[in-house]
Amino acid sequence: MSKEQITLTKNELKRVMVIEKWIDGHLTEQDVARNLGISVRQAYRLKAKYLHGGAQAIAHGNRGRKPAHTLADSLKQRVMLLYQERYFGSNATHFAELLAEHENIHLSVSSVRRILLEGGLRPARLRRRPKAHRPRPRKPQAGMLWQIDASPYAWLEDRGPMLTLHGIIDDATGEVVAATFRPTETLEGYVTVMIEGLRRKGVPLALYSDQHSIFHPPKGKPTLEQELAGEPPSLSTFGQALADLGITHIEALSPQAKGRIERLWQTFQDRLVIELRLRNVCTMEEANRVLPELIAKHNRQFAVAPQNAEPAYRPLPETPLEHIFARRQYRRISGGQTFSWKGKCYMPKPVPGVPRWEAKSVVEVRVGMDGQVWLWDQGRAWPCVETQATQTPAPTTAKKEAAPASPRKPAANHPWRKPFSSKQLQRSTASG
């Protein structure tokens, strides 16, 4: 664009007018500097520009020129094409990170957002709604509070089945302690992440969850097993394990109460889906195999340092965690040291030191998440094996034939042996 085609701004026209009055002798250099808000030296520079190039010289030298640092159109087209083919659905921040990581294209988040908006690939940013409640501050120490939850979502999009992500996040640091994929929200999924988190970190002080029946069993009458053991129906399998570990269980009354992990699901649904797509993950087994790598990447980027560097974790108990996080039932043991569980007969594995229980006594049976059965006695688990049930003879239903009765002889003083008197004989004849 030539200098003659440049249109001066209002500020530049003011400068031209003041400089012309200075040249005509109506103003002094001090008046010019004061009116334009510049120094006297700068006023002389503007006057020299005007005398050399006229009014157009007062305009900025880069007016009408393409900036040297502007992005090439070919680069913009490539960025938009990559977004449509591989990275669709990601936000501007995540897209900029993926471009730098996978495509060696280093752009600022604002540049990426501007390119997507110009191409009509992303909507304009909506104004964030004001928060309806005051957020709860983080705990000062790691291990003071864990939040646990599960999120069903199309994590594999249309490449695989619907999965549910079970996870635990530390309230103080925002670190994802453990996570795993399962087909649905199950006790086995929660037990898996709990055992993994406990082995990695230790025992936390408290656990925050929703009111799912896995954590809080529905109220009702005592079960048969509880009646046999004389225990009230108070805790679920998961709740009994928390009680054994000394973990305080807190139930949230609303999703907003456990907002830390709810926001984690939003982040994962925005980012984790893209990461799984880039790795072409199509099955639950593949997703669980790459999940530790993705969790570590998330923690490096989003985890924060706690206020107090000293963690609040406690050491693990001596009892194996598989024995603690197990289904607990009560059964009567037979004289042959056997008991039944789900239609099968079990007995303690014959190992040295195995005790012998009295027949018909009530024993505690623990069943692990993998189906392993133990007989629990005085803080020790005795492994059990499946055996054949003892065959008791079935009661016969055939009726016995009655034997013929033996002949009986009347006694000597039996009335039949006494002779009839004449009166009795007359009465008998009269009645006949």
Side-chain angles (χ1 to χ4, degrees):
M1 183 180 293
S2 62
K3 286 282 186 179
E4 288 74 11
Q5 296 176 343
I6 296 178
T7 304
L8 299 182
T9 63
K10 293 177 63 176
N11 189 35
E12 292 169 345
L13 290 174
K14 177 182 177 181
R15 288 188 172 190
V16 171
M17 181 187 65
V18 172
I19 291 173
E20 288 177 348
K21 288 185 177 182
W22 181 19
I23 295 175
D24 294 340
H26 299 292
L27 296 175
T28 64
E29 58 269 23
Q30 287 80 9
D31 297 333
V32 173
R34 184 169 50 255
N35 289 331
L36 298 181
I38 58 177
S39 64
V40 175
R41 181 176 296 181
Q42 181 65 15
Y44 275 105
R45 292 196 187 100
L46 291 177
K47 181 179 179 182
K49 281 186 176 183
Y50 180 82
L51 295 175
H52 183 266
Q56 294 293 328
I58 301 300
H60 196 279
N62 289 332
R63 179 78 59 79
R65 297 179 182 177
K66 193 174 184 178
H69 61 277
T70 187
L71 299 178
D73 294 337
S74 59
L75 178 60
K76 294 181 180 180
Q77 292 295 330
R78 185 186 176 192
V79 169
M80 289 188 288
L81 186 62
L82 287 171
Y83 183 84
Q84 292 173 317
E85 292 181 350
R86 298 191 61 189
Y87 307 106
F88 56 88
S90 58
N91 57 42
T93 303
H94 191 206
F95 185 36
E97 298 170 1
L98 295 174
L99 288 175
E101 180 180 355
H102 298 282
E103 309 294 339
N104 198 25
I105 299 177
H106 300 273
L107 297 175
S108 65
V109 176
S110 58
S111 297
V112 170
R113 183 180 295 110
R114 183 170 58 253
I115 293 174
L116 296 180
L117 289 175
E118 291 175 357
L121 301 178
R122 290 287 294 180
R125 180 186 296 178
L126 298 177
R127 186 177 182 85
R128 183 175 297 179
R129 294 181 180 179
K131 295 183 178 180
H133 65 282
R134 181 180 300 175
R136 178 181 55 80
R138 295 179 181 268
K139 295 294 183 181
Q141 291 178 280
M144 291 188 67
L145 180 64
W146 281 0
Q147 294 189 19
I148 188 171
D149 197 15
S151 174
Y153 192 70
W155 299 102
L156 305 182
E157 298 173 307
D158 57 351
R159 304 184 308 278
M162 175 80 76
L163 298 177
T164 299
L165 181 59
H166 300 67
I168 301 175
I169 187 173
D170 187 274
D171 186 83
T173 63
E175 176 186 3
V176 180
V177 179
T180 186
F181 284 107
R182 286 294 184 273
T184 57
E185 186 174 3
T186 60
L187 173 63
E188 289 77 6
Y190 283 116
V191 169
T192 300
V193 294
M194 276 298 297
I195 291 180
E196 180 184 349
L198 291 170
R199 286 175 175 167
R200 287 186 60 240
K201 297 294 185 178
V203 182
L205 299 182
L207 183 73
Y208 214 174
S209 72
D210 55 19
Q211 295 185 348
H212 197 281
S213 59
I214 293 176
F215 308 107
H216 180 80
K219 297 180 180 180
K221 295 182 180 180
T223 62
L224 177 61
E225 293 80 10
Q226 291 167 338
E227 289 180 348
L228 292 174
E231 294 185 359
S234 55
L235 298 174
S236 63
T237 297
F238 199 89
Q240 289 172 339
L242 296 181
D244 289 352
L245 293 170
I247 300 176
T248 303
H249 183 207
I250 306 173
E251 295 180 357
L253 301 179
S254 65
Q256 292 79 9
K258 50 185 180 65
R260 199 84 61 201
I261 197 167
E262 294 292 343
R263 288 188 293 273
L264 174 67
W265 297 142
Q266 296 178 3
T267 303
F268 275 172
Q269 290 171 9
D270 193 18
R271 289 172 168 260
L272 195 60
V273 173
I274 311 297
E275 300 285 354
L276 293 173
R277 182 200 306 157
L278 295 177
R279 290 163 175 79
N280 196 28
V281 175
C282 302
T283 64
M284 185 181 72
E285 291 74 18
E286 294 176 355
N288 282 324
R289 188 161 52 249
V290 303
L291 187 59
E293 173 192 351
L294 301 178
I295 294 299
K297 179 180 178 181
H298 172 88
N299 289 336
R300 287 193 302 268
Q301 186 170 0
F302 293 102
V304 299
Q307 299 178 16
N308 190 342
E310 184 69 22
Y313 291 107
R314 294 166 293 159
L316 293 176
E318 297 181 358
T319 305
L321 296 176
E322 290 78 5
H323 297 167
I324 298 176
F325 287 93
R327 293 181 175 88
R328 309 180 188 192
Q329 302 292 335
Y330 295 90
R331 292 292 185 270
R332 288 194 185 277
I333 196 165
S334 66
Q337 301 295 284
T338 63
F339 59 89
S340 62
W341 165 253
K342 287 193 173 182
K344 298 180 180 180
C345 187
Y346 293 89
M347 66 175 297
K349 189 176 181 180
V351 294
V354 61
R356 185 173 181 83
W357 291 269
E358 295 183 3
K360 297 185 179 181
S361 61
V362 179
V363 294
E364 181 180 351
V365 178
R366 296 195 179 186
V367 183
M369 297 297 113
D370 57 353
Q372 177 63 45
V373 180
W374 299 282
L375 199 154
W376 186 264
D377 182 71
Q378 297 181 0
R380 181 173 177 178
W382 299 94
C384 299
V385 294
E386 188 177 350
T387 183
Q388 295 293 332
T390 56
Q391 298 293 334
T392 57
T396 58
T397 57
K399 296 183 178 180
K400 294 182 178 180
E401 294 182 0
S406 58
R408 296 182 181 181
K409 292 183 179 181
N413 58 351
H414 196 277
W416 290 358
R417 289 184 178 272
K418 294 180 181 181
F420 285 99
S421 61
S422 57
K423 294 183 178 181
Q424 291 175 341
L425 186 57
Q426 292 176 359
R427 292 175 183 172
S428 175
T429 304
S431 61

